Amino acid sequence: MRHRVHTFKVGRSSAHRRAMLANMVSSLFTNGQIQTTLVKAKEARRFAEKLITIGKKGDLHRRRLAVAKLRDKDAVKLLFDEIAPAYKDRNGGYTRILKLGVRRGDAAELCILQLVKEQLEPKAEKKEAAPKAEEVKTEEPKAEEPKAEEAKAE
């Protein structure tokens, strides 16, 4: 049974899988987005979001943990200096997956894994926007009432 087993094996040994994910995520950090299969992207997303959370702490111990996992010092420097500080107010959801369709040769689902660029909006602003829509609905019947009064006057 696969209870509490949260990993995609992707048809590789564990060492090959770790190396592949490290290479994919370092490419994601340097380029901003990568194109890959859907299953690989879902596993790389888990790995990348954990590394960004580690990068948000920013101390020396976390930097050494990131180098041990990512194996690319330039990508770790980019992660700690630029990427992680951009997400300091965000509690997860640093990446997105955009589906592209199937690959022609083997019909594997392709997708783009990319870092989210836009800033997170506070929830209070969204709640304020909803009453404005209700106010517009209540104003429409008021506009019709003067027309009825004009028709009675004629």
Side-chain angles (χ1 to χ4, degrees):
M1 285 190 252
R2 297 192 70 243
H3 296 299
R4 296 177 57 96
V5 177
H6 302 289
T7 184
F8 293 104
K9 293 194 177 180
V10 200
R12 283 154 178 79
S13 65
S14 61
H16 187 183
R17 186 170 51 249
R18 278 193 302 268
M20 179 191 68
L21 290 174
N23 288 331
M24 287 174 64
V25 172
S26 65
S27 296
L28 174 67
F29 290 158
T30 55
N31 299 326
Q33 71 178 19
I34 57 172
Q35 180 178 343
T36 183
T37 62
L38 184 63
V39 176
K40 288 180 189 175
K42 286 181 177 181
E43 189 64 20
R45 174 178 57 185
R46 290 179 61 226
F47 190 65
E49 294 204 3
K50 287 179 184 178
L51 283 173
I52 292 172
T53 304
I54 287 173
K56 285 168 63 173
K57 304 275 196 238
D59 57 351
L60 180 63
H61 176 64
R62 299 308 192 293
R63 190 176 290 260
R64 286 178 175 164
L65 285 175
V67 168
K69 290 180 183 287
L70 204 54
R71 302 178 186 148
D72 185 5
K73 290 183 181 180
D74 295 332
V76 170
K77 181 172 175 39
L78 187 66
L79 168 68
F80 278 79
D81 294 344
E82 296 177 17
I83 296 171
Y87 298 117
K88 65 179 178 164
D89 295 331
R90 196 175 183 102
N91 293 328
Y94 312 118
T95 58
R96 79 166 57 99
I97 293 178
L98 303 171
K99 294 183 181 181
L100 296 176
V102 294
R103 187 163 44 202
R104 187 170 181 207
D106 60 353
E109 284 190 76
L110 291 178
C111 66
I112 293 176
L113 176 66
Q114 62 182 202
L115 295 171
V116 175
K117 298 289 184 193
E118 65 264 3
Q119 297 296 325
L120 184 66
E121 295 179 9
K123 291 183 180 179
E125 293 179 11
K126 291 180 182 176
K127 290 181 181 177
E128 291 175 5
K132 290 179 183 176
E134 293 173 3
E135 291 174 5
V136 172
K137 291 179 183 176
T138 57
E139 290 176 7
E140 291 174 5
K142 292 178 183 176
E144 294 175 5
E145 291 173 5
K147 291 179 185 175
E149 291 174 6
E150 291 175 9
K152 289 179 184 178
E154 292 176 3

